[in-house]
Amino acid sequence: MSFGELVSIQPNELRFPFELKKQISCSLQLTNQTDHYVAFKVKTTNPKKYCVRPNTGVVLPRSTCDVVVTMQAQREAPPDMQCKDKFLIQSVVTTDGATQKDITPEMFNKDAGNHLEECKLRVMYVSPPQPPSPVAEGSEEGSSPRASLSDIGNAAAFDSVLREDLDSKDKVSEARVAISRLTEEKSSVIQLNNKLQQELELLRTQSSRAGGGIPFLYVVIVGLLGILIGYLIRRT
């Protein structure tokens, strides 16, 4: 943005996306920074090449005015895309209520003692937006492009990892079933052991009352059950 006492101008240079045989436009915004009416005039070093609308006008106090600059279609590009064209924007305080019809060439004459403000802008050419990249060779519209070797290798590796993961999950499931079955067997044996302990205690009580001992065979059975229970407990 270019600042002056009377007006500020944005942008501070004219940028045209250059294309052969095509009219191109860009705009300027003039902002009146005073409480007075300000008249302006736009000049260029190459008037046949550009069209400025409006090229003269009045900006109201604390207001803005848009100026459109159109470059005529060019038949050839300049060397290295460099442009030497320049614009000059002159501004001067005018009477309140003035309009574009009230503007005269004498208002922008320095020799007449007018307080004239000038701002110079250069012209720059920029490359136009690039078109989208063409469809890659070998792919057809409406069909998916062929997978590359790296994609195939990645897919095979993924399948291998997936199979290993599924195998691990199957082994975990089998282990859980086995643990559940052993836990149920352990619970059944513990219940049987408790029942036998109760019957043994009952027999001891009856034997003590009758003055006799516990049958040897029963003691052997209880011992074997104790060994079996201990084995099952260690497995779980």
Side-chain angles (χ1 to χ4, degrees):
M1 179 183 296
S2 299
F3 288 95
E5 294 181 3
L6 301 180
V7 298
S8 63
I9 303 170
Q10 186 179 12
N12 56 5
E13 59 187 9
L14 293 170
R15 302 174 66 89
F16 292 93
F18 188 87
E19 293 185 56
L20 290 176
K21 301 179 181 180
K22 182 178 180 180
Q23 280 191 348
I24 307 168
S25 299
C26 64
S27 61
L28 295 172
Q29 187 177 75
L30 280 59
T31 301
N32 186 348
Q33 302 184 117
T34 71
D35 296 323
H36 306 285
Y37 282 66
V38 174
F40 70 89
K41 185 175 185 179
V42 182
K43 296 181 179 181
T44 178
T45 56
N46 197 342
K48 294 183 179 180
K49 185 177 178 180
Y50 300 96
C51 176
V52 182
R53 292 291 182 272
N55 62 344
T56 60
V58 176
V59 188
L60 302 182
R62 306 296 175 181
S63 299
T64 60
C65 177
D66 292 327
V67 176
V68 177
V69 181
T70 301
M71 181 177 66
Q72 304 301 320
Q74 302 298 301
R75 296 182 179 180
E76 58 183 13
D80 300 327
M81 293 292 288
Q82 298 297 319
C83 182
K84 297 181 180 180
D85 299 336
K86 291 181 175 59
F87 280 79
L88 176 67
I89 300 177
Q90 298 176 313
S91 55
V92 62
V93 175
T94 186
T95 57
D96 291 347
T99 64
Q100 187 174 9
K101 296 179 181 180
D102 300 321
I103 297 176
T104 61
E106 289 75 16
M107 296 173 61
F108 302 97
N109 188 354
K110 292 182 180 180
D111 297 336
N114 297 324
H115 177 66
L116 191 64
E117 185 175 277
E118 296 181 336
C119 179
K120 294 180 180 180
L121 304 178
R122 64 174 182 169
V123 176
M124 292 191 64
Y125 294 152
V126 296
S127 300
Q130 297 297 323
S133 301
V135 178
E137 185 177 355
S139 62
E140 298 179 359
E141 186 176 358
S143 62
S144 301
R146 296 178 181 177
S148 63
L149 292 178
S150 60
D151 292 338
I152 296 174
N154 292 337
F158 177 78
D159 291 341
S160 177
V161 173
L162 182 60
R163 285 194 297 269
E164 292 178 359
D165 184 59
L166 292 176
D167 292 341
S168 300
K169 289 182 179 180
D170 292 340
K171 292 179 181 178
V172 171
S173 299
E174 293 175 359
R176 287 178 179 175
V177 171
I179 292 172
S180 177
R181 183 172 61 253
L182 291 174
T183 302
E184 292 176 358
E185 293 177 359
K186 176 182 175 182
S187 177
S188 299
V189 172
I190 291 174
Q191 291 178 1
L192 179 59
N193 180 61
N194 292 336
K195 183 177 181 181
L196 291 174
Q197 291 290 343
Q198 293 175 0
E199 293 179 357
L200 180 60
E201 189 64 29
L202 179 60
L203 288 174
R204 285 178 180 176
T205 303
Q206 292 177 353
S207 298
S208 61
R209 291 177 181 176
I214 301 173
F216 176 75
L217 180 60
Y218 193 81
V219 173
V220 172
I221 293 174
V222 172
L224 292 175
L225 288 174
I227 293 172
L228 178 60
I229 292 170
Y231 173 73
L232 291 174
I233 291 175
R234 285 195 298 272
R235 285 184 63 187
T236 56

